Amino acid sequence: MTRETNGPSAMERLLATLDLEPIEVDIFRGRSPQAGWQRVFGGQVIGQALMAAQRTIEAERFVHSLHAYFMRPGDPSVPIIYQVERIRDGSSFNTRRVVAIQHGKAIFALSASFQVEEAGFDHQIAMPDVAMPEELLGEQQIKQQYLAHAPEAIRKYWERERPIEIRPVSLTHYFSDRKLDPRQDVWVRATGQVPDDRLYQAAVLAYLSDMTLLDTSLYAHGTSIFDQGLQVASLDHSMWFHRPCKLDDWLLYTQDSPSASGARGLTRGNLFTRTGVLIASVAQEGLIRKKANE
């Protein structure tokens, strides 16, 4: 991965993308990095919409859940307008609804709930026993050992500089058409410093939660999101924030797909710290459709 010596890093560009411009009361403008993509990455819209909602909430309240729908592909060449509606401000909880607009039409809608922090019952599931990130191939090693003979779509994916580094526990799915169990474990890590600010930490976590998730629903079918014969897109996305995390180390993203039917695939995910603390859970349904023969 290369970049200009004095240019911003991928993480610095992501943080700038999440730093929305206020243009009116409860209305914000977001921009997209010009990375040559045909449409806006879904995680970016989730992160920006969450940031817009957070900017309307009192400082001592933090997001505990969000639920979102993708309605139209985002156009990276023009700004996205985020309109926040203050649904409820209660003694313990706040609710916000955010609509993202481009070209006069809604492309995305998000509802989020915020809570004053309080003590209560506390339990969690255990993190699975998998290889630690230091035991796995890094991105440079993957490129050196595998990419020379990989399809072009896979090469572009791994060669692009990203704000989040991905280190899959298994690489079989990326370089094979074998039908596998519909589950995967992926270590993820910010490639640059994330501010010690829970608004940015939540937005970055929401951003990365959309990475690799939909692909898990294709494991059982011996294909992947890189298959040019498929039409693949996120339809909806839900996320629950259980415990705060500074995002200064690797996170394990465990994923499984309990069902695919009707040209849709459902995937669930859990995000753990290296020490096994469950910080967030995710669910997403996506379109996984074979393209019609031209």
Side-chain angles (χ1 to χ4, degrees), residues 108-154:
F108 174 87
L110 173 144
S111 294
S113 183
F114 301 79
Q115 182 187 12
V116 175
E117 289 194 312
E118 57 182 283
F121 298 107
D122 197 330
H123 78 273
Q124 68 160 80
I125 61 173
M127 183 174 78
D129 184 15
V130 301
M132 299 302 284
E134 291 79 10
E135 304 172 44
L136 304 171
L137 294 179
E139 290 193 353
Q140 287 295 332
Q141 294 170 301
I142 292 172
K143 288 192 290 186
Q144 292 171 2
Q145 295 188 28
Y146 292 100
L147 287 190
H149 305 290
E152 182 181 2
I154 295 179

Side-chain angles (χ1 to χ4, degrees), residues 229-251:
L230 295 180
Q231 182 183 0
V232 180
S234 302
L235 296 173
D236 59 46
H237 192 94
S238 295
M239 188 169 185
W240 297 265
F241 299 78
H242 306 306
R243 299 166 180 86
C245 179
K246 292 183 179 295
L247 307 185
D248 56 357
D249 198 359
W250 289 100
L251 301 173

Side-chain angles (χ1 to χ4, degrees), residues 63-291:
V63 64
H64 71 85
S65 68
L66 63 82
H67 305 277
Y69 283 93
F70 297 90
M71 294 175 281
R72 293 180 176 87
D75 180 352
S77 68
V78 299
I80 306 173
I81 301 301
Y82 294 92
Q83 296 183 344
V84 183
E85 184 178 0
R86 302 184 184 224
I87 302 296
R88 179 177 184 268
D89 288 319
S91 59
S92 299
F93 291 87
N94 302 68
T95 306
R96 296 291 184 266
R97 183 172 185 267
V98 185
V99 177
I101 299 171
Q102 280 188 319
H103 305 298
K105 296 180 180 179
I107 65 167
F108 174 87
L110 173 144
S111 294
S113 183
F114 301 79
Q115 182 187 12
V116 175
E117 289 194 312
E118 57 182 283
F121 298 107
D122 197 330
H123 78 273
Q124 68 160 80
I125 61 173
M127 183 174 78
D129 184 15
V130 301
M132 299 302 284
E134 291 79 10
E135 304 172 44
L136 304 171
L137 294 179
E139 290 193 353
Q140 287 295 332
Q141 294 170 301
I142 292 172
K143 288 192 290 186
Q144 292 171 2
Q145 295 188 28
Y146 292 100
L147 287 190
H149 305 290
E152 182 181 2
I154 295 179
R155 289 202 309 272
K156 286 184 176 180
Y157 178 80
W158 286 100
E159 289 173 349
R160 185 171 54 237
E161 184 190 8
R162 296 183 299 246
I164 306 299
E165 181 179 356
I166 300 171
R167 196 166 288 189
V169 172
S170 171
L171 292 171
T172 302
H173 173 68
Y174 293 95
F175 304 103
S176 166
D177 59 1
R178 286 172 48 194
K179 294 183 178 181
L180 306 170
D181 289 338
R183 59 173 298 111
Q184 73 165 326
D185 300 298
V186 182
W187 290 96
V188 293
R189 178 177 67 173
T191 58
Q193 185 175 359
V194 178
D196 188 15
D197 179 330
R198 287 184 58 177
L199 302 190
Y200 278 96
Q201 290 164 2
V204 171
L205 195 63
Y207 174 93
L208 69 82
S209 72
D210 192 37
M211 300 179 72
T212 74
L213 194 61
L214 185 54
D215 204 28
T216 307
S217 65
L218 294 168
Y219 269 52
H221 309 283
T223 187
S224 77
I225 58 172
F226 302 113
D227 185 342
Q228 300 300 303
L230 295 180
Q231 182 183 0
V232 180
S234 302
L235 296 173
D236 59 46
H237 192 94
S238 295
M239 188 169 185
W240 297 265
F241 299 78
H242 306 306
R243 299 166 180 86
C245 179
K246 292 183 179 295
L247 307 185
D248 56 357
D249 198 359
W250 289 100
L251 301 173
L252 179 65
Y253 202 177
T254 67
Q255 304 168 16
D256 73 277
S257 178
S259 176
S261 65
R264 303 182 313 276
L266 174 66
T267 305
R268 305 173 297 193
N270 290 305
L271 283 153
F272 296 88
T273 67
R274 177 193 291 271
T275 57
V277 177
L278 178 64
I279 61 169
S281 297
V282 183
Q284 182 182 93
E285 189 173 48
L287 177 71
I288 49 172
R289 173 194 291 157
K290 290 186 177 181
K291 294 179 181 178

